[in-house]
Structures are given as C-alpha cells and as structure tokens.
Amino acid sequence: MKEIYELTALEVRNKILNKELSAYDVTKAVFERIEKTDELIGSFVSLRKEKALEEAKIIDEKIAKGEKVGALAGVPVSIKDNMVSLNDPSASCSKILDGYIGIYDATVVTKLKEADAIIIGKTNMDEFAMGGSTKTSYYKLTKNPWDTSKVPGGSSGGAASSIASQQCFISLGSDTGGSIRQPASFCGVVGLKPTYGRVSRYGLMAFASSLDQIGPLAKNVEDIALAMNVIAGYDDYDGTVKNIPVPDYTEFLGKDIKGVKIGVPKEYFVDGMNENVKAIMMDALEKLKEAGAELVDVSLPHTKYALPTYYILAPAEASSNLARFDGIRYGYRSKNAKDFNDLYVKSRSEGFGSEVKRRIMIGTYVLSAGFYDAYFKKAQKARALIKADFDKAFETVNMIFTPVAPTPAFSLDAVKTPLELYLEDIFTLSANLAGVPGLSIPAGITEGLPVGIQLLGKHFDEGNLIAVGSAFEKIRGEWKLPEGVEK
C-alpha cells in the first residue's frame, strides 16, 4: 500500500472526496514528510503549517456536510517565493525583500484557494528568478533529490525538488527562460510553461514582464492538467491574459496521438550535447513514433540568436522592473547611508545579490541612449524572427520536440562563468521569446540523474501537449522518484 506522500494529486483529491482520507490527515502527512526530508533537500523558505492544518479542517467539514468543494479539494500545493500571498512571507528569495509580508493574494493564489487547495509554503528559488541553479537565493541551498551533490536547476529549483522529494503534490513555478522546464528535467518531474497570456501574472514579482509565465510542476502529466484547469484563464488584473475559453485539460489525457506531426529541429541537436542525453532523446523519439506520431524534420534557423537576444531583453526589462526597490518605500534599507543618494545606492548595493546586480547593469547599459538602437532595438527584431520561425514550422507540424538541457544536473560546487550558466538554458529560451507553451517530461536516466524531453506547442495549445505527454508517459512506463531523501 502506498504512503500518502507517494500518491498523485488526483489520487489524493479522489480519496478525500470519497472519504478514504481526510484533508487534515493528508496535510499532516505532508508536513511530517517535510520534517523528515527538508533539512537535507532545502525546498522551502517558509511554511504555513498551522494555517494549512486549519484550512484542511474546514475542507473536511464542508465534505462532511455535503457541501460543494473545489477541484483541488485538500490537495497540498507549494508556491514559488516570487508569488505574493496575503499575510505570508513573499521575498523572491532576495535580501532586499527579506521580512516582507504579502498584503494581497496573487491571482493564481486566489484561484488555488477557490479550488480548496492547501497552500503549504513558499519554495526556494534563484533571487528574483535570475539563475539556473537556485544557488543565487539569499536564504539557502537547495539540493537535487536524486543526488544531493547536484543542483536542482533553477530558478524554480525549490518547486521541482518539492515534487521530486514528494513533499507536496503540485507546485507552482515561474518560467522566464526555462525556469520551470529545466529544473523539472534535472529533478525528474513534469513541468509546464503555458503560453504567454494563458495564466495571470498578477502578484508575480516581475523579472522580465514580456517573458515571465507561471506554470505547474507535478509528478505526472495528469496532475499538470488538473492544475491548469484551476490556474488558467482571464483576469481583470492582468491585461496580457487573453480572454479566450479555457478547455478542460483532463479531456486530452489518454487521447490517441496517431498521425500527430512532431517537428524535430536540427538546430537543437548540436555538438557539445551530452552523448547520453542525445541517446535518451533518440529513444524518446522512437517511442513517440511507436505511439503513432509522425516525425518531421523542421528548421528554426534563428535559434542561434536566442541566447544573445534573451540576455539583452530580459536584463533590460529587469533593470526597469527592479528600479522600484529603492530602500525607501519598503524592503531592505541600508543603515550606513549619509544622504538620500547614498541611501538609494547602498540599499540596492547591499540588498541585491551579484547576479541580480549583473543583470541590472547589463539592462541599464543596453537601454542607455547611446546603445538602445545597437542592442535593444536589434534584439527586438531578432525576437520577431525567432517567433516567425515557430509560426512557419507550425504550418506543417502540430508540435516540436527538443531536449530540455544539453546535460543532466551539474554539481553544486561546479565553478561556472555567468556565460556557461546562461548556456544551460540554450534549448528553453526560444519558447519564452516566441511566447509558445513548453512541456518537460522525464524520459530517462544517465549516471543516476534524470533527463527530460521538451514538447513545444502552438499558442494556447497546451491541450495537445498534454495529450502527447500523457501518451509518452504510457509508453515510457512507470517513473519512480528517488529514494533516500530523508536525513
């Protein structure tokens, strides 16, 4: 018989509705699991234990009275520390916001609460979502549950590790250049970056507003569909969310994928990719072919410009978005300032970490009067070409298959230059620049570490990604999460 923490979100929800389990017992079991595992793994930066247990009791009372409950009734969920929630710590894992308590709920948090999910706490992340290892967090290191000498990926490393170490059932992360998909691959879980404009960003602390998107991580594609049913949809508070119908994503599960055309771009199978990762990709393509999918060679010729384009546009937007943290209105304030200007400079210098400062400086530079046309304007043109590549490819295929990352998780103590770290996201950046959805699914293991495949879809076509993803899971067979994560 499975332990409670070994269940999926759907199994937990159904057992609570059928009164085989109580929401209180599930929530209690989750916190017991966290107490046994998180000293080693470090997924969480804050927990809501007392509040969560009280909320679970209320759900049990509603079920006992026969009252209607939400789609995630009693399911413990974690959220990334850059999503504001009322009366909870919300710091984006930065010193400059240390101690800040949310004064409202982000839209996704409101939707989770309306669905009767139990929010158990905030997960660790790279500071302001800038990084691919979760090592830039002000608070702590997060370790990969498969091998605690490895990184969990980033910036949603705590979200991915909370699922991989079975500390919760669904976790919300954010993805600006691969920050859901890369840690999902490194930690052997499923992660979805929805289409830009599918999920409200209201209450998400902005890194790069034209690229950021909130999405779910879970043990399997079925739970991703369940989460998307809750968090997707129009929001008056976010003008970038499209006012279009949200399908029932669970209806795409188990669909026949015979005849689905999957594009395989040559630009994503490059020299320098780990040979074992490449072998896992080839095997996954064969499995999809066995399931009836048709593989089609496609080209995304401007892919080589994605990395420089991203690292001009994202820092430019970050430098603007982070200007609000001035040491005056809220957040960290330097105690060593002599005057107004000194207060502003010292508060930001002391409050931001080195990676955040690096990106602010790059962004300020490319937006400056002498360089705006040479860098920022050109990058916007390159972004349009990258998007056009996807539009053209999708005229002949239903979706695109790529690796998530060129290697499995790297060592926590690896000394990498900023450029080497940026190259980790080389296969995920384009989806954010084009605004298309991307799904990462575990496909195999090399040297004891998981490797994920990436499916990229047309705008607002998350349903078909879920269909193909669930079909792939069926062919791949049972996926076991790592053991030995208890201290």
Side-chain angles (χ1 to χ4, degrees):
M1 185 177 168
K2 283 183 179 179
E3 297 285 347
I4 289 174
Y5 65 79
E6 293 178 303
L7 300 171
T8 67
L10 186 64
E11 288 171 338
V12 165
R13 197 274 309 266
N14 289 344
K15 284 180 181 290
I16 289 170
L17 292 180
N18 294 334
K19 300 181 183 177
E20 296 172 53
L21 288 171
S22 70
Y24 182 87
D25 286 343
V26 170
T27 306
K28 186 167 171 278
V30 159
F31 281 108
E32 287 171 357
R33 176 71 175 169
I34 291 169
E35 283 164 18
K36 288 179 181 176
T37 58
D38 210 49
E39 186 183 344
L40 177 63
I41 302 300
S43 302
F44 289 89
V45 290
S46 64
L47 292 167
R48 305 175 71 250
K49 186 174 181 180
E50 290 75 20
K51 291 178 185 176
L53 289 168
E54 284 302 313
E55 289 162 8
K57 284 180 186 175
I58 293 167
I59 289 164
D60 286 332
E61 287 168 11
K62 284 169 77 174
I63 291 170
K65 291 175 184 174
E67 294 177 14
K68 188 178 179 182
V69 290
L72 291 175
V75 177
V77 175
S78 65
I79 58 176
K80 194 173 176 179
D81 195 42
N82 60 350
M83 297 174 206
V84 180
S85 55
L86 181 65
N87 297 325
D88 295 328
S90 308
S92 213
C93 287
S94 177
K95 180 180 178 180
I96 210 159
L97 277 175
D98 185 35
Y100 177 73
I101 302 297
I103 58 172
Y104 67 99
D105 279 332
T107 295
V108 289
V109 174
T110 300
K111 288 188 172 191
L112 288 173
K113 289 179 178 179
E114 288 172 351
D116 289 322
I118 306 291
I119 298 171
I120 59 169
K122 299 286 183 73
T123 55
N124 198 24
M125 58 180 282
D126 283 299
E127 183 185 7
F128 282 105
M130 298 184 194
S133 64
T134 311
K135 287 170 67 176
T136 71
S137 169
Y138 171 63
Y139 294 115
K140 68 202 301 187
L141 272 181
T142 298
K143 297 172 183 175
N144 192 313
W146 291 78
D147 179 345
T148 54
S149 71
K150 308 293 185 187
V151 300
S155 63
S156 306
S161 67
S162 73
I163 298 294
S165 51
Q166 304 192 87
Q167 297 168 327
C168 62
F169 303 96
I170 291 169
S171 187
L172 294 191
S174 66
D175 192 312
T176 308
S179 289
I180 288 172
R181 291 159 290 153
Q182 184 246 35
S185 177
F186 280 10
C187 288
V189 300
V190 182
L192 173 68
K193 181 205 90 73
T195 306
Y196 184 83
R198 178 80 281 185
V199 177
S200 173
R201 292 180 296 110
Y202 177 72
L204 174 70
M205 296 180 193
F207 162 15
S209 303
S210 75
L211 301 164
D212 299 340
Q213 187 65 158
I214 294 170
L217 297 97
K219 293 178 183 178
N220 60 24
V221 174
E222 186 175 58
D223 286 352
I224 293 290
L226 193 65
M228 281 297 291
N229 278 354
V230 171
I231 66 171
Y234 182 69
D235 179 25
D236 283 334
Y237 294 108
D238 180 359
T240 63
V241 177
K242 293 286 185 187
N243 189 7
I244 56 176
V246 178
D248 180 351
Y249 290 107
T250 61
E251 291 182 356
F252 291 88
L253 297 164
K255 272 194 169 184
D256 184 2
I257 65 165
K258 190 174 181 182
V260 171
K261 292 183 178 180
I262 300 178
V264 184
K266 60 184 180 183
E267 292 84 1
Y268 282 71
F269 293 84
V270 294
D271 292 338
M273 189 194 301
N274 180 293
E275 285 302 316
N276 293 336
V277 170
K278 194 171 184 179
I280 289 168
M281 295 303 110
M282 296 299 111
D283 180 63
L285 284 169
E286 282 303 311
K287 284 183 168 67
L288 289 167
K289 203 172 173 182
E290 285 171 30
E294 184 183 333
L295 305 183
V296 181
D297 290 332
V298 295
S299 179
L300 300 170
H302 294 97
T303 297
K304 61 184 176 182
Y305 301 116
L307 190 72
T309 298
Y310 178 89
Y311 281 103
I312 290 170
L313 297 180
E317 294 187 30
S319 72
S320 176
N321 280 325
L322 299 188
R324 71 193 71 178
F325 301 106
D326 53 15
I328 296 167
R329 288 166 289 186
Y330 53 84
Y332 175 79
R333 179 179 294 188
S334 176
K335 294 179 175 63
N336 306 312
K338 296 170 187 172
D339 54 36
F340 177 81
N341 284 335
D342 205 32
L343 175 66
Y344 184 77
V345 171
K346 285 188 173 174
S347 295
R348 287 169 67 81
S349 298
E350 295 165 15
F352 288 130
S354 58
E355 182 59 32
V356 173
K357 285 188 278 195
R358 180 181 294 113
R359 298 197 194 195
I360 289 172
M361 290 168 71
I362 293 169
T364 304
Y365 179 82
V366 301
L367 288 174
S368 60
F371 301 99
Y372 181 87
D373 286 348
Y375 291 102
F376 187 77
K377 206 169 176 182
K378 266 187 189 168
Q380 291 286 32
K381 290 177 180 177
R383 181 180 188 171
L385 292 172
I386 290 164
K387 182 182 179 298
D389 284 348
F390 279 96
D391 292 342
K392 186 175 181 184
F394 287 137
E395 289 174 7
T396 54
V397 297
N398 303 105
M399 64 190 62
I400 290 167
F401 174 104
T402 80
V404 178
T407 65
F410 52 90
S411 294
L412 276 166
D413 58 5
V415 180
K416 288 178 176 274
T417 66
L419 182 58
E420 285 172 329
L421 286 169
Y422 298 165
L423 284 165
E424 290 290 331
D425 293 332
I426 195 164
F427 297 144
T428 53
L429 298 171
S430 295
N432 297 80
L433 292 167
V436 299
L439 181 67
S440 173
I441 311 164
I445 294 172
T446 177
E447 298 171 25
L449 295 167
V451 172
I453 61 167
Q454 178 175 226
L455 297 172
L456 302 175
K458 299 176 184 179
H459 289 97
F460 303 102
D461 199 21
E462 290 84 359
N464 278 326
L465 294 185
I466 285 167
V468 174
S470 64
F472 175 76
E473 282 183 333
K474 189 175 179 181
I475 315 160
R476 181 206 61 201
E478 185 183 7
W479 182 260
K480 288 191 175 180
L481 290 169
E483 296 176 6
V485 292
E486 294 184 14
K487 183 81 173 175

